Amino acid sequence: MAAALTLDQWTDQAGKLAYRNQAFIGGKYVPALSGKTFECISPIDGKRLTSVAACDAADVDVAVKAARAAFESGVWSGLAPARRKKIMIRFADLMLKHRDELALLETLDMGKPIRFSTSVDIPGAANCIAWYGEAIDKLYDEVAPTDPSAIAFIRKEPVGVVAAVVPWNFPLLMASWKIGPVLAAGNSMILKPAEQSPLTALRIAELAMEAGIPEGVFNVVPGFGETAGQALGRHMDVDCVTFTGSTEVGKYFLKYAGESNMKRVSLECGGKSPNIVLADAPDLDAAAKAAAIGIFFNQGEVCNAASRLLVQDSIKDEFVEKVIAASGRFKPGNPLDPKTQMGAMVDATQTKRVMSYIDAGRNEGAVVRMGGSRALTETGGHYIEPTLFDQVDNGMKIAQEEIFGPVLATIGFKDVDDAIRIANDTIYGLASAVWTRDISTAHKVANKLKTGVVWVNTFDAGDMSTPFGGYKQSGFGRDKSLHALEKYTQVKMTWIQL
Ligand code: NDP
């Protein structure tokens, strides 16, 4: 079992890993047509892992043709849902069978602690694929309540060729939130992993084939956003783009769609989630622990990170002390050490970006109560201390912009109305939380928060049956749950006159 391995054993396994580093198109691993590659560097120590095919528009075109041919042939789209189910469950089982290897790839590639890639990322991804496989043969279409002289069927058909463009923070998990419903609905797809983290996506392509997913149905094109990503967004034969990433890039996909074939676009973008702690919170210690996990888990590289801590003035000082105490476990360390709970930032660029926000916070007058510096620089990797700012004003840059790192902005408020006003004063609307023992206050605040997800007396709870996605510039369309299938199906009405 994964948990039993030691740092030395993981390090030893890392040294023996073989990497899949070519694109996967039409059931085969192939180099980029241009022959170009890009370097895959581990943020753990700055060392090169492998060189990966740098796909561009020409490769995307071949992948779209393969996906289209597979779709039109009916080899997957025409299978009975019960057969698709079996294959998807096999695919999920294979992911679990290779859990240690996939977890190691994820950790080496993007720096997250191995304890979480083995316990959260890989099982979560497999569970998602299995969940959609299991769901798909239990969904019925509709018959409309028409005049008896006719029957009108309303059927959900797959949209066709779907491009999934995903980020690096939970590489396989975010990809699986797309792969599960896209494939379950009968589509063919092309996955573009983030340039920082392509290794698990490339490895699971052959597991998909081994499970029985036919050639051309699942393709992976690694490469840069401006080339491979943009080519998918602008391709005239891609029917749908499902994107997870920054708000800035999400807007590009709307533009690409408008300037090409008006393809469907769904966007899961950034966040600046408010975590509101009222003075009557039922358990301040539990709230403080959740606040620390909410911002420091995954090095703060989480779209719904609890990055704004809104605390009622009367308990703020006491609560900040509790959050600092609860943050002790998040000490940057070697991600291959099973004891480590906070790993490396994904790369040098992201590290620089996060440090520039810490500088901005200081310059704008917020007070650093914990952290604020880089760590473990002698390793050659990219590490940042968990950082807590107090006395933040919601107008400050660190309260308005998504940092995507371990930086918490603490903001005081007077009363419930004040908290709601501050919480909603952002361009984002992904998630929020409120801590109170008053059920009526909980409902009122939850109703007024303009976010797609609201937690009460917890943070980051959910399972596959609950939809995830944002309001405002956090995007539209939902991942997870049966709602996600709406993005990848289209409604056809057939009227039969009797
Ligand atoms: P980016 O938006 O930079 O990249 C996301 C994906 O888009 C990557 O595959 C990237 O490719 C690609 N891309 C980048 N530029 C372009 C372009 N011009 N045209 C087409 N595609 C492009 O996000 P990050 O990878 O930096 O991830 C962090 C962001 O993701 C954060 O804002 C975070 O909030 C958000 N996110 C949202 C989630 C949600 O569910 N709401 C979940 C997880 C993350 P490449 O890497 O090659 O540049």
Side-chain angles (χ1 to χ4, degrees):
M1 281 294 290
L5 296 189
T6 62
L7 168 61
D8 286 347
Q9 287 168 321
W10 281 115
T11 307
D12 182 55
Q13 287 204 12
K16 294 178 188 153
L17 264 186
Y19 300 106
R20 283 295 185 186
N21 52 14
Q22 295 186 317
F24 190 83
I25 299 176
K28 288 192 289 292
Y29 285 103
V30 290
L33 289 168
S34 66
K36 288 187 187 153
T37 57
F38 64 90
E39 297 294 273
C40 193
I41 306 289
S42 178
I44 295 178
D45 51 12
K47 291 193 180 136
R48 175 184 170 279
L49 295 171
T50 184
S51 303
V52 175
C55 295
D56 60 21
D59 307 284
V60 161
D61 196 44
V62 178
V64 173
K65 285 196 171 89
R68 174 61 61 192
F71 183 74
E72 299 303 335
S73 75
V75 65
W76 181 252
S77 54
L79 272 193
R83 298 219 14 228
R84 287 206 294 268
K85 170 179 81 174
K86 284 203 173 120
I87 294 170
M88 289 185 67
I89 291 173
R90 214 179 299 143
F91 184 20
D93 286 345
L94 282 169
M95 286 167 75
L96 288 179
K97 183 175 160 198
H98 294 277
R99 177 168 73 165
D100 283 7
E101 180 197 351
L102 291 168
L104 197 48
L105 287 173
E106 209 77 308
T107 289
L108 291 170
D109 213 4
M110 65 72 64
K112 69 172 64 204
I114 193 77
R115 65 184 289 146
F116 296 131
S117 36
T118 50
S119 65
V120 177
D121 293 70
I122 310 308
N127 181 43
C128 175
I129 305 284
W131 193 90
Y132 282 103
E134 282 161 359
I136 201 65
D137 66 343
K138 295 164 191 76
L139 300 173
Y140 292 74
D141 288 325
E142 301 164 29
V143 178
T146 58
D147 181 279
S149 65
I151 294 180
F153 297 103
I154 297 151
R155 299 191 58 223
K156 291 201 176 134
E157 298 188 334
V159 285
V161 174
V162 179
V165 180
V166 296
W168 44 258
N169 59 338
F170 292 89
L172 191 57
L173 191 58
M174 291 302 103
S176 298
W177 286 10
K178 313 297 189 190
I179 297 167
V182 167
L183 293 186
N187 299 284
S188 294
M189 71 183 291
I190 299 134
L191 171 65
K192 195 208 88 64
E195 153 250 324
Q196 294 90 338
S197 58
L199 299 179
T200 46
L202 292 169
R203 175 70 176 103
I204 62 156
E206 60 190 330
L207 299 183
M209 291 283 290
E210 190 182 336
I213 292 175
E215 288 176 9
V217 172
F218 180 65
N219 307 278
V220 184
V221 288
F224 295 101
E226 297 75 18
T227 49
Q230 176 160 197
L232 286 165
R234 291 189 180 279
H235 202 287
M236 294 301 286
D237 205 26
V238 168
D239 299 301
C240 167
V241 168
T242 176
F243 170 79
T244 299
S246 62
T247 292
E248 183 190 355
V249 175
K251 290 180 184 178
Y252 290 149
F253 278 99
L254 295 175
K255 184 166 129 80
Y256 301 155
E259 289 176 357
S260 57
N261 62 343
M262 221 163 83
K263 60 179 63 64
R264 247 185 221 207
V265 176
S266 60
L267 304 175
E268 296 289 348
C269 298
K272 197 73 195 174
S273 301
N275 183 19
I276 303 170
V277 184
L278 293 165
D280 74 342
D283 180 345
L284 285 184
D285 291 312
K289 192 173 166 207
I293 296 171
I295 183 64
F296 300 132
F297 174 66
N298 212 48
Q299 303 74 244
E301 296 164 330
V302 180
C303 51
N304 59 268
S307 52
R308 286 186 300 152
L309 177 61
L310 275 52
V311 192
Q312 196 149 17
D313 289 333
S314 57
I315 57 161
K316 186 160 78 65
D317 291 347
E318 174 197 356
F319 192 74
V320 165
E321 291 304 331
K322 285 183 185 291
V323 176
I324 291 171
S327 301
R329 62 197 269 198
F330 293 104
K331 194 171 172 309
N334 184 343
L336 290 177
D337 186 338
K339 291 198 282 300
T340 296
Q341 303 216 23
M342 189 176 202
M345 305 302 296
V346 72
D347 62 11
T349 309
Q350 183 65 5
T351 306
K352 210 168 142 203
R353 190 167 166 264
V354 173
M355 290 311 298
S356 78
Y357 277 107
I358 293 176
D359 290 344
R362 285 195 172 104
N363 292 339
E364 283 191 294
V367 176
V368 176
R369 291 290 316 279
M370 180 180 76
S373 304
R374 289 193 59 177
L376 304 175
T377 44
E378 69 284 0
T379 60
H382 310 291
Y383 300 84
I384 297 179
E385 293 173 343
T387 299
L388 188 150
F389 276 104
D390 195 1
Q391 295 176 37
V392 176
D393 180 276
N394 199 53
M396 290 178 184
K397 198 170 161 157
I398 55 167
Q400 286 293 317
E401 296 184 18
E402 185 180 40
I403 299 174
F404 223 57
V407 182
L408 180 60
T410 311
I411 303 165
F413 67 83
K414 284 197 303 289
D415 55 27
V416 170
D417 288 342
D418 198 23
I420 293 167
R421 180 186 58 74
I422 296 169
N424 286 334
D425 177 21
T426 166
I427 63 164
Y428 296 110
L430 186 54
S432 56
V434 58
W435 297 77
T436 174
R437 69 172 72 237
D438 185 319
I439 184 88
S440 175
T441 305
H443 277 289
K444 283 182 193 156
V445 175
N447 287 343
K448 289 197 171 158
L449 289 170
K450 294 190 168 70
T451 58
V453 175
V454 182
W455 292 291
V456 177
N457 294 336
T458 186
F459 198 89
D460 210 4
D463 65 27
M464 278 312 303
S465 63
T466 55
F468 183 85
Y471 282 16
K472 303 198 279 185
Q473 293 190 42
S474 289
F476 52 87
R478 294 291 178 268
D479 280 332
K480 305 203 301 175
S481 82
L482 296 180
H483 290 281
L485 291 165
E486 290 157 19
K487 300 191 290 192
Y488 312 121
T489 51
Q490 49 198 345
V491 171
K492 179 180 276 178
M493 191 284 285
T494 307
W495 182 284
I496 302 174
Q497 200 63 45
L498 300 175

